[in-house]
Protein backbone atom coordinates (compact mmCIF):
# COMPACT_ATOMS: atom_id res chain seq x y z
CA UNK A 1 0.00 0.00 0.00
CA UNK A 2 1.18 3.51 -0.75
CA UNK A 3 1.57 5.94 2.12
CA UNK A 4 -1.42 8.21 2.57
CA UNK A 5 -0.62 11.92 2.36
CA UNK A 6 -2.78 14.85 3.33
CA UNK A 7 -3.82 17.45 0.75
CA UNK A 8 -1.04 19.97 1.37
CA UNK A 9 1.41 17.91 3.40
CA UNK A 10 1.32 20.16 6.46
CA UNK A 11 1.73 23.51 4.69
CA UNK A 12 1.96 26.44 7.09
CA UNK A 13 1.74 30.22 7.03
CA UNK A 14 2.37 32.71 9.76
CA UNK A 15 1.02 36.25 9.80
CA UNK A 16 -1.51 37.94 12.05
CA UNK A 17 -2.59 34.37 12.79
CA UNK A 18 -0.87 31.11 12.08
CA UNK A 19 -2.44 28.81 9.51
CA UNK A 20 -1.44 25.16 9.41
CA UNK A 21 -2.73 22.31 7.35
CA UNK A 22 -3.81 19.70 9.86
CA UNK A 23 -2.51 16.55 8.20
CA UNK A 24 -4.43 13.31 8.07
CA UNK A 25 -7.65 13.17 10.03
CA UNK A 26 -10.13 10.32 10.25
CA UNK A 27 -13.69 11.40 9.49
CA UNK A 28 -16.88 9.43 9.23
CA UNK A 29 -20.11 10.95 7.99
CA UNK A 30 -23.08 9.49 9.77
CA UNK A 31 -26.67 10.06 8.74
CA UNK A 32 -29.50 8.76 10.83
CA UNK A 33 -31.92 9.57 13.61
CA UNK A 34 -29.76 11.45 16.13
CA UNK A 35 -32.27 10.90 18.92
CA UNK A 36 -32.04 7.12 18.64
CA UNK A 37 -30.45 5.47 21.68
CA UNK A 38 -28.75 2.88 19.51
CA UNK A 39 -27.04 5.57 17.41
CA UNK A 40 -26.00 7.52 20.51
CA UNK A 41 -24.43 4.39 22.02
CA UNK A 42 -22.63 3.52 18.79
CA UNK A 43 -20.95 6.92 18.41
CA UNK A 44 -20.25 7.20 22.12
CA UNK A 45 -18.39 3.91 22.20
CA UNK A 46 -16.50 4.77 19.00
CA UNK A 47 -15.29 8.22 20.07
CA UNK A 48 -15.87 8.56 23.80
CA UNK A 49 -17.65 11.84 23.14
CA UNK A 50 -21.22 12.62 24.14
CA UNK A 51 -23.90 13.49 21.59
CA UNK A 52 -23.53 17.19 20.70
CA UNK A 53 -26.51 19.51 20.75
CA UNK A 54 -27.40 21.59 17.71
CA UNK A 55 -24.50 23.73 16.47
CA UNK A 56 -21.93 22.25 18.84
CA UNK A 57 -18.99 19.89 18.81
CA UNK A 58 -18.15 17.40 21.57
CA UNK A 59 -14.50 16.45 21.76
CA UNK A 60 -12.86 13.56 23.57
CA UNK A 61 -9.24 12.56 23.94
CA UNK A 62 -8.75 11.23 20.43
CA UNK A 63 -12.03 11.86 18.71
CA UNK A 64 -15.11 13.96 18.60
CA UNK A 65 -18.61 14.43 17.29
CA UNK A 66 -19.74 17.42 15.24
CA UNK A 67 -23.40 18.31 14.76
CA UNK A 68 -23.80 18.79 11.00
CA UNK A 69 -27.57 18.94 10.58
CA UNK A 70 -30.66 17.54 12.36
CA UNK A 71 -29.89 14.09 10.93
CA UNK A 72 -26.15 14.16 10.34
CA UNK A 73 -23.02 13.84 12.46
CA UNK A 74 -19.37 14.14 11.57
CA UNK A 75 -17.45 11.57 13.60
CA UNK A 76 -13.80 12.49 14.21
CA UNK A 77 -11.39 9.64 14.85
CA UNK A 78 -7.69 8.91 14.37
CA UNK A 79 -6.80 8.39 10.71
CA UNK A 80 -5.28 4.94 11.34
CA UNK A 81 -8.36 3.76 13.19
CA UNK A 82 -11.01 4.97 10.80
CA UNK A 83 -11.81 1.61 9.17
CA UNK A 84 -12.00 -0.15 12.53
CA UNK A 85 -14.22 2.58 14.00
CA UNK A 86 -16.44 2.51 10.93
CA UNK A 87 -16.92 -1.23 11.35
CA UNK A 88 -17.67 -0.68 15.03
CA UNK A 89 -20.28 2.00 14.28
CA UNK A 90 -21.87 -0.12 11.56
CA UNK A 91 -22.07 -3.06 13.95
CA UNK A 92 -23.68 -0.84 16.57
CA UNK A 93 -26.21 0.45 14.06
CA UNK A 94 -27.37 -2.95 12.88
CA UNK A 95 -31.10 -2.84 12.10
CA UNK A 96 -31.14 0.95 12.31
CA UNK A 97 -32.02 3.18 9.32
CA UNK A 98 -28.66 4.95 9.13
CA UNK A 99 -25.64 5.32 6.90
CA UNK A 100 -21.99 5.73 7.91
CA UNK A 101 -19.23 6.37 5.38
CA UNK A 102 -15.50 6.97 5.60
CA UNK A 103 -14.85 10.42 4.12
CA UNK A 104 -11.35 10.96 5.55
CA UNK A 105 -9.62 11.17 2.17
CA UNK A 106 -12.25 13.51 0.74
CA UNK A 107 -11.47 16.21 3.27
CA UNK A 108 -8.73 18.58 4.31
CA UNK A 109 -8.33 20.15 7.72
CA UNK A 110 -6.69 23.41 8.79
CA UNK A 111 -5.87 25.01 12.10
CA UNK A 112 -5.94 28.76 12.57
CA UNK A 113 -4.63 30.12 15.84
CA UNK A 114 -3.20 33.27 17.31
CA UNK A 115 -4.52 36.72 18.12
CA UNK A 116 -5.89 37.45 14.69
CA UNK A 117 -7.64 34.10 14.22
CA UNK A 118 -11.16 35.45 14.71
CA UNK A 119 -10.47 38.25 12.30
CA UNK A 120 -9.10 35.90 9.63
CA UNK A 121 -12.30 33.87 9.69
CA UNK A 122 -14.50 36.94 9.89
CA UNK A 123 -12.97 38.17 6.63
CA UNK A 124 -13.97 34.97 4.86
CA UNK A 125 -17.23 33.75 6.40
CA UNK A 126 -20.63 35.40 6.93
CA UNK A 127 -20.52 34.50 10.62
CA UNK A 128 -20.50 36.67 13.73
CA UNK A 129 -17.03 35.91 15.10
CA UNK A 130 -17.14 38.14 18.18
CA UNK A 131 -15.99 36.61 21.46
CA UNK A 132 -19.53 36.63 22.86
CA UNK A 133 -21.14 35.14 19.79
CA UNK A 134 -18.68 32.42 18.81
CA UNK A 135 -17.62 30.49 21.88
CA UNK A 136 -15.38 27.44 22.33
CA UNK A 137 -17.21 24.23 21.49
CA UNK A 138 -19.31 25.90 18.83
CA UNK A 139 -19.47 24.26 15.41
CA UNK A 140 -20.54 26.05 12.28
CA UNK A 141 -21.05 24.93 8.71
CA UNK A 142 -20.84 27.85 6.38
CA UNK A 143 -19.18 29.22 3.30
CA UNK A 144 -15.55 30.35 3.13
CA UNK A 145 -15.37 32.83 0.25
CA UNK A 146 -16.63 30.62 -2.59
CA UNK A 147 -16.49 27.14 -1.09
CA UNK A 148 -18.29 25.23 1.63
CA UNK A 149 -16.43 24.83 4.90
CA UNK A 150 -17.08 24.01 8.52
CA UNK A 151 -15.17 24.93 11.63
CA UNK A 152 -15.16 24.74 15.38
CA UNK A 153 -13.33 26.57 18.12
CA UNK A 154 -11.50 24.62 20.82
CA UNK A 155 -10.69 25.81 24.32
CA UNK A 156 -7.24 27.08 23.32
CA UNK A 157 -8.68 29.67 20.90
CA UNK A 158 -7.68 27.54 17.92
CA UNK A 159 -10.08 27.19 15.02
CA UNK A 160 -10.26 23.83 13.28
CA UNK A 161 -11.48 24.09 9.71
CA UNK A 162 -12.80 21.23 7.60
CA UNK A 163 -13.21 21.59 3.83
CA UNK A 164 -13.23 19.40 0.76
CA UNK A 165 -9.84 18.11 -0.25
CA UNK A 166 -10.33 19.29 -3.83
CA UNK A 167 -10.37 22.91 -2.63
CA UNK A 168 -7.64 22.57 0.00
CA UNK A 169 -5.19 24.72 -1.92
CA UNK A 170 -7.82 27.41 -2.48
CA UNK A 171 -8.73 27.45 1.21
CA UNK A 172 -5.07 27.59 2.29
CA UNK A 173 -4.47 30.53 -0.05
CA UNK A 174 -7.60 32.24 1.26
CA UNK A 175 -6.56 31.82 4.88
CA UNK A 176 -2.98 32.93 4.25
CA UNK A 177 -4.12 35.99 2.33
CA UNK A 178 -6.58 36.91 5.07
CA UNK A 179 -3.80 36.43 7.63
CA UNK A 180 -1.27 38.70 5.91
CA UNK A 181 0.68 40.70 8.52
CA UNK A 182 -0.56 44.27 8.94
CA UNK A 183 -3.93 43.41 7.46
CA UNK A 184 -5.76 43.66 10.78
CA UNK A 185 -9.15 45.29 10.60
CA UNK A 186 -9.25 45.67 14.34
CA UNK A 187 -12.87 44.66 14.89
CA UNK A 188 -12.23 41.82 17.36
CA UNK B 1 -28.92 42.04 2.92
CA UNK B 2 -31.48 39.41 3.70
CA UNK B 3 -30.92 37.44 6.90
CA UNK B 4 -33.05 34.38 7.55
CA UNK B 5 -32.95 32.13 10.59
CA UNK B 6 -32.80 28.48 9.57
CA UNK B 7 -35.55 26.70 11.55
CA UNK B 8 -33.54 23.46 11.56
CA UNK B 9 -30.15 24.54 12.87
CA UNK B 10 -31.05 27.91 14.37
CA UNK B 11 -28.29 29.69 12.44
CA UNK B 12 -28.95 33.26 11.40
CA UNK B 13 -27.80 32.83 7.84
CA UNK B 14 -27.33 35.64 5.40
CA UNK B 15 -28.34 35.42 1.79
CA UNK B 16 -25.03 34.09 0.47
CA UNK B 17 -25.25 31.05 2.72
CA UNK B 18 -28.68 30.22 1.32
CA UNK B 19 -30.15 29.23 -1.99
CA UNK B 20 -33.49 30.63 -3.14
CA UNK B 21 -36.04 28.00 -4.08
CA UNK B 22 -38.87 30.07 -5.52
CA UNK B 23 -42.47 30.41 -4.47
CA UNK B 24 -43.74 28.40 -1.51
CA UNK B 25 -46.75 26.11 -1.16
CA UNK B 26 -47.15 25.20 -4.83
CA UNK B 27 -49.58 22.40 -5.50
CA UNK B 28 -48.19 20.06 -8.10
CA UNK B 29 -50.31 19.11 -11.09
CA UNK B 30 -48.63 16.20 -12.79
CA UNK B 31 -49.69 13.45 -15.18
CA UNK B 32 -53.43 13.18 -15.59
CA UNK B 33 -54.15 16.82 -14.77
CA UNK B 34 -55.76 19.23 -17.20
CA UNK B 35 -53.59 21.31 -19.51
CA UNK B 36 -54.71 24.50 -17.76
CA UNK B 37 -53.79 23.21 -14.33
CA UNK B 38 -50.43 21.99 -15.57
CA UNK B 39 -49.77 25.30 -17.29
CA UNK B 40 -50.61 27.24 -14.13
CA UNK B 41 -48.48 24.94 -12.00
CA UNK B 42 -45.52 25.39 -14.30
CA UNK B 43 -45.69 29.07 -15.12
CA UNK B 44 -48.04 31.12 -12.97
CA UNK B 45 -46.24 32.70 -10.04
CA UNK B 46 -47.05 35.43 -7.57
CA UNK B 47 -45.10 38.64 -7.93
CA UNK B 48 -46.29 40.67 -4.97
CA UNK B 49 -45.12 44.01 -3.68
CA UNK B 50 -45.37 43.17 -0.02
CA UNK B 51 -45.95 39.92 1.83
CA UNK B 52 -44.47 36.90 0.09
CA UNK B 53 -43.83 33.25 0.93
CA UNK B 54 -40.74 31.55 -0.41
CA UNK B 55 -38.73 28.35 -0.19
CA UNK B 56 -35.09 28.60 0.76
CA UNK B 57 -32.37 26.05 1.20
CA UNK B 58 -29.60 26.38 3.78
CA UNK B 59 -27.13 25.18 1.19
CA UNK B 60 -23.85 26.21 2.85
CA UNK B 61 -25.03 24.88 6.17
CA UNK B 62 -27.28 22.07 7.27
CA UNK B 63 -28.58 21.59 3.72
CA UNK B 64 -32.26 21.62 4.68
CA UNK B 65 -35.11 23.28 2.84
CA UNK B 66 -37.35 25.65 4.77
CA UNK B 67 -40.01 28.28 4.22
CA UNK B 68 -39.74 32.01 4.80
CA UNK B 69 -42.36 34.73 5.00
CA UNK B 70 -41.04 38.16 4.14
CA UNK B 71 -41.90 41.50 2.61
CA UNK B 72 -40.51 42.02 -0.89
CA UNK B 73 -40.64 45.77 -0.50
CA UNK B 74 -38.89 46.29 2.84
CA UNK B 75 -36.98 42.99 3.08
CA UNK B 76 -38.58 42.60 6.50
CA UNK B 77 -38.70 38.95 7.55
CA UNK B 78 -41.84 37.84 9.38
CA UNK B 79 -40.55 34.40 10.18
CA UNK B 80 -39.20 31.10 8.90
CA UNK B 81 -40.81 27.72 9.34
CA UNK B 82 -40.47 24.05 8.52
CA UNK B 83 -40.72 22.75 4.97
CA UNK B 84 -42.99 19.91 6.11
CA UNK B 85 -46.22 21.86 5.81
CA UNK B 86 -48.76 22.71 3.11
CA UNK B 87 -49.59 26.15 4.44
CA UNK B 88 -48.10 28.87 6.64
CA UNK B 89 -48.50 28.05 10.35
CA UNK B 90 -50.75 30.23 12.50
CA UNK B 91 -47.92 31.94 14.41
CA UNK B 92 -46.38 33.14 11.14
CA UNK B 93 -49.77 34.42 9.93
CA UNK B 94 -50.25 36.22 13.26
CA UNK B 95 -46.80 37.80 12.99
CA UNK B 96 -47.68 39.12 9.53
CA UNK B 97 -51.12 40.32 10.60
CA UNK B 98 -49.54 42.27 13.44
CA UNK B 99 -47.56 44.33 10.94
CA UNK B 100 -49.64 44.16 7.74
CA UNK B 101 -53.28 43.87 8.93
CA UNK B 102 -54.70 43.68 5.39
CA UNK B 103 -52.28 41.19 3.92
CA UNK B 104 -53.32 38.39 1.64
CA UNK B 105 -51.32 36.04 -0.53
CA UNK B 106 -52.96 33.56 -2.90
CA UNK B 107 -55.67 31.86 -0.84
CA UNK B 108 -54.05 32.72 2.49
CA UNK B 109 -54.85 35.72 4.62
Amino acid sequence: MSDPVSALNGAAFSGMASVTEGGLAGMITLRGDLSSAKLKDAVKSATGAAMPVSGKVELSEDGGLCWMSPDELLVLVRYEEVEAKLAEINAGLKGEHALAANVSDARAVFRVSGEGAREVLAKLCPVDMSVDAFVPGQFRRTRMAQVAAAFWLDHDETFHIVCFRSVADYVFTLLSTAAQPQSEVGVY
Amino acid sequence: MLILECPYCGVKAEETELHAGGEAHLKRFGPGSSDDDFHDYLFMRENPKGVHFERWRHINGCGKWFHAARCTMTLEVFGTYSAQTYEPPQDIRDAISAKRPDWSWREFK
Side-chain angles (χ1 to χ4, degrees), chain B:
Chain B
M1 182 63 70
L2 185 61
I3 296 178
L4 301 175
E5 183 174 333
C6 171
Y8 293 97
C9 60
V11 159
K12 281 198 167 53
E14 58 124 344
E15 219 172 321
T16 62
E17 206 172 294
L18 304 166
H19 180 78
E23 188 174 319
H25 308 303
L26 293 178
K27 183 173 187 295
R28 181 170 185 267
F29 288 93
S33 60
S34 73
D35 284 357
D36 282 349
D37 280 345
F38 187 58
H39 168 274
D40 288 357
Y41 160 65
L42 272 189
F43 301 115
M44 301 307 279
R45 293 292 181 268
E46 296 296 315
N47 184 20
K49 181 183 178 186
V51 175
H52 195 30
F53 294 85
E54 287 172 328
R55 300 166 75 227
W56 286 85
R57 185 177 175 223
H58 194 189
I59 193 162
N60 281 316
C62 65
K64 302 293 178 201
W65 283 98
F66 61 91
H67 284 130
R70 67 178 184 101
C71 176
T72 56
M73 191 165 61
T74 61
L75 285 194
E76 184 176 3
V77 177
F78 302 111
T80 53
Y81 52 101
S82 156
Q84 279 72 43
T85 174
Y86 291 113
E87 52 182 66
Q90 197 55 46
D91 59 319
I92 297 286
R93 296 189 198 198
D94 292 344
I96 301 171
S97 299
K99 291 188 171 152
R100 306 278 192 282
D102 304 326
W103 76 279
S104 76
W105 185 81
R106 280 188 0 211
E107 72 271 33
F108 306 120
K109 36 172 110 68

Side-chain angles (χ1 to χ4, degrees), chain A residues 46-97:
Chain A
T47 61
M51 179 63 78
V53 295
S54 161
K56 295 282 179 187
V57 59
E58 289 287 343
L59 298 169
S60 63
E61 200 132 308
D62 50 352
L65 295 171
C66 310
W67 190 94
M68 297 289 271
S69 83
D71 56 1
E72 184 179 351
L73 279 183
L74 182 65
V75 183
L76 308 169
V77 295
R78 284 181 203 272
Y79 186 82
E80 311 77 53
E81 292 176 346
V82 63
E83 285 301 336
K85 295 285 186 190
L86 183 61
E88 191 183 325
I89 291 175
N90 275 330
L93 289 174
K94 218 167 182 88
E96 184 90 3
H97 182 67

